[in-house]
Amino acid sequence: MAPESDVLTAVAALAVVPVVEIDDAATAVPLARTLAEAGLPVVEITFRTPAARDAVAAIAAELPDFLLGAGTLVLPDMVTSAVEAGALFGVSPGYSSACLATAATARLPFVPGAVTPSEVGACLEAGARHIKFFPAGAYGGIATLTALDGPFGWTGARFMPTGGVRPENAAEYLALPNVFAVGGTWIAPRADIAAGRWDAIAERARAAAALGAPGAVTP
């Protein structure tokens, strides 16, 4: 497994992470190929469906260089399952010391969630510098992230806002100095994946990939 710095640096270089729910593992590889061919070779497959683990395993087997993430990891057993399936990084909507410890033992790059100063502090205390900010829209979005940069910016804490991030505001989020990437469900909606609407997904992925292009966003 690649070092955490390499994996999350690669995620940051792409800037936009499609956050997806998969109901049928057979759609996982076509989805990953669609995203990769559109210039966005990264995904966070949420562990909210029974097919999620098999979907991660299928992509890991077919596309070993794809930046394959597992999300909604809220229990240590879910972290272990994601590692065993072949995930290259894990994401949680909240802070869990047990999940962080399990990820550290497995050497899985892990992005815990936080929305309050106390939660951010707990993440930093645990050694995490890449933090999910979810649900971004419900917790003040850009205004809150701007405020958090004051006391925490010097620590190197950087956030991945998800939840309420849309094509029309993604660039504004990415312009913040303490944002390393954004997560978005608009790129590959659950219904489009299930129906195999790869052309529509590819079009949105190309537009999202352009946000991470050099010079696309000015901090």
Side-chain angles (χ1 to χ4, degrees):
M1 183 173 296
E4 176 174 356
S5 59
D6 291 348
V7 171
L8 297 181
T9 295
V11 171
L14 292 171
V16 182
V17 178
V19 178
V20 307
E21 294 177 283
I22 291 183
D23 295 302
D24 181 356
T27 63
V29 171
L31 170 64
R33 291 194 189 280
T34 296
L35 294 173
E37 290 168 5
L40 197 62
V42 61
V43 74
E44 177 191 327
I45 295 178
T46 62
F47 269 45
R48 295 199 292 256
T49 69
R53 188 191 186 283
D54 287 343
V56 169
I59 296 172
E62 292 291 327
L63 299 168
D65 295 328
F66 192 87
L67 286 169
L68 177 56
T72 321
L73 302 180
V74 297
L75 297 170
D77 286 351
M78 298 172 75
V79 177
T80 300
S81 180
V83 171
E84 292 173 348
L88 295 182
F89 67 96
V91 184
S92 178
Y95 172 80
S96 163
S97 59
C99 285
L100 278 162
T102 301
T105 298
R107 300 181 63 82
L108 177 73
F110 195 76
V111 183
V115 292
T116 68
S118 294
E119 291 169 350
V120 174
C123 289
L124 293 173
E125 186 175 303
R129 293 297 182 272
H130 293 81
I131 301 168
K132 181 165 182 167
F133 185 74
F134 171 85
Y139 279 90
I142 290 166
T144 299
L145 285 166
T146 300
L148 288 173
D149 194 43
F152 295 113
W154 66 273
T155 67
R158 300 180 71 198
F159 297 89
M160 181 170 67
T162 307
V165 179
R166 305 177 301 277
E168 55 268 29
N169 65 13
E172 191 174 357
Y173 273 104
L174 288 169
L176 297 176
N178 61 341
V179 167
F180 74 93
V182 297
T185 58
W186 81 87
I187 300 161
R190 191 173 188 170
D192 281 1
I193 296 171
R197 300 188 186 106
W198 309 126
D199 288 347
I201 291 172
E203 182 178 355
R204 290 189 292 267
R206 282 191 292 270
L211 292 170
V217 178
T218 303

